[in-house]
Amino acid sequence: MRKLIFALMSLMPMFAWAQWETPDNQENAQQNSKWTQPEQKKATTETKKEKTYEWAAYLEDVVPTDSEGNVVWERTFTNQLSGEENYNRMLEFLNDFIKGKNFNPESRVALVNKAERSIAAHIDEYIVFSSSFIALDRTRLIYTLQVTCEDRQVTVKAFRISYWYEENRKGGYRYQAEKWITDKYAVNKKHTKLLPISGKFRRKTVDRMNELMQQFEYEIIK
């Protein structure tokens, strides 16, 4: 027992002069050690980019209808010509217009009313969905075009729109625009996508009517 006490007394100077370290220093020492803990992987959250629907521009408010639910495209253009000048110009333009490449022989200027300066044309033309060496997907687009001329303005109206699809296959299929390209018949219930068949009719009709109005605008205001 005396030997043990003597041994402890001999170590007291060592404790008195020893340098004590804080836990921070111990952590630094651990970092320099080869037994460091593996780094934790940072959690990365990648936000998925939502794909924009290809035909989103054709989903809402692109097929105009009147108060009775009939599909009607109508626009009024202004210029500086008299009603008679506008009438003569539009009659000449329509007679050339129906001779276009995709127009069928049934297209014609059907009625004229010179007193009211109004012209009605029956239009029967092809619109093409796709074309290749082995297949041609198209439909006949049939509609009435009415042009009413006044002093310094012309109103163009396309209505009674219908389709004759795959006419060479046992008579094909006939559709009315009101029951084929309107929202109820060409857009899904969630209004997020076009339906496969009627949707392509909707797209091509909208494109064609916009192009048609641009043609008239150019002729009227040039």
Side-chain angles (χ1 to χ4, degrees):
M1 184 67 181
R2 290 181 179 178
K3 291 182 179 180
L4 178 59
I5 293 172
F6 179 79
L8 290 173
M9 290 178 67
S10 64
L11 291 174
M12 286 181 66
M14 183 181 299
F15 282 108
W17 293 100
Q19 183 178 0
W20 290 76
E21 295 181 348
T22 64
D24 291 338
N25 290 335
Q26 292 177 4
E27 289 181 2
N28 292 335
Q30 288 178 358
Q31 290 179 359
N32 294 328
S33 171
K34 65 178 180 179
W35 298 107
T36 56
Q37 295 181 352
E39 294 183 1
Q40 294 182 352
K41 294 183 178 179
K42 294 181 180 179
T44 57
T45 56
E46 296 182 358
T47 56
K48 294 182 179 179
K49 294 182 179 179
E50 294 184 1
K51 292 183 178 179
T52 303
Y53 179 54
E54 185 178 7
W55 310 120
Y58 299 89
L59 290 177
E60 300 289 346
D61 300 326
V62 292
V63 178
T65 55
D66 62 13
S67 58
E68 297 179 354
N70 299 312
V71 175
V72 179
W73 264 270
E74 183 174 359
R75 284 191 62 185
T76 297
F77 306 99
T78 59
N79 59 19
Q80 298 301 315
L81 302 180
S82 68
E84 185 176 359
E85 289 173 321
N86 277 325
Y87 175 81
N88 292 331
R89 176 182 285 189
M90 288 298 97
L91 184 58
E92 182 181 0
F93 170 68
L94 281 168
N95 281 321
D96 289 335
F97 176 76
I98 60 176
K99 298 174 185 177
K101 179 181 177 181
N102 290 324
F103 287 81
N104 290 304
E106 288 80 0
S107 297
R108 65 190 183 279
V109 175
L111 296 169
V112 296
N113 188 328
K114 192 170 183 179
E116 296 182 1
R117 302 190 183 100
S118 184
I119 308 165
H122 175 76
I123 307 298
D124 188 331
E125 61 176 315
Y126 282 111
I127 53 175
V128 179
F129 301 120
S130 62
S131 178
S132 66
F133 291 109
I134 59 175
L136 174 62
D137 186 17
R138 66 181 183 178
T139 186
R140 287 172 73 166
L141 173 65
I142 304 164
Y143 56 99
T144 297
L145 193 59
Q146 183 176 351
V147 180
T148 304
C149 305
E150 300 177 38
D151 292 338
R152 294 180 294 280
Q153 82 174 32
V154 177
T155 299
V156 182
K157 181 179 178 181
F159 60 108
R160 294 176 186 166
I161 301 169
S162 63
Y163 309 91
W164 189 359
Y165 185 49
E166 296 185 345
E167 57 186 298
N168 297 324
R169 293 188 180 183
K170 298 180 181 180
Y173 306 92
R174 292 180 181 267
Y175 308 107
Q176 297 294 323
E178 289 75 16
K179 293 186 177 181
W180 195 235
I181 66 168
T182 52
D183 290 359
K184 181 179 179 180
Y185 298 93
V187 183
N188 67 359
K189 292 182 179 180
K190 294 182 179 180
H191 282 247
T192 56
K193 290 184 179 181
L194 297 178
L195 298 180
I197 306 300
S198 57
K200 69 180 182 180
F201 281 77
R202 179 180 171 108
R203 289 190 293 104
K204 287 296 184 177
T205 303
V206 170
D207 289 346
R208 177 56 183 142
M209 289 299 151
N210 289 339
E211 180 187 35
L212 178 71
M213 293 302 171
Q214 288 175 0
Q215 287 178 285
F216 272 94
E217 181 178 22
Y218 174 78
E219 289 297 324
I220 292 166
I221 68 174
K222 70 178 182 179

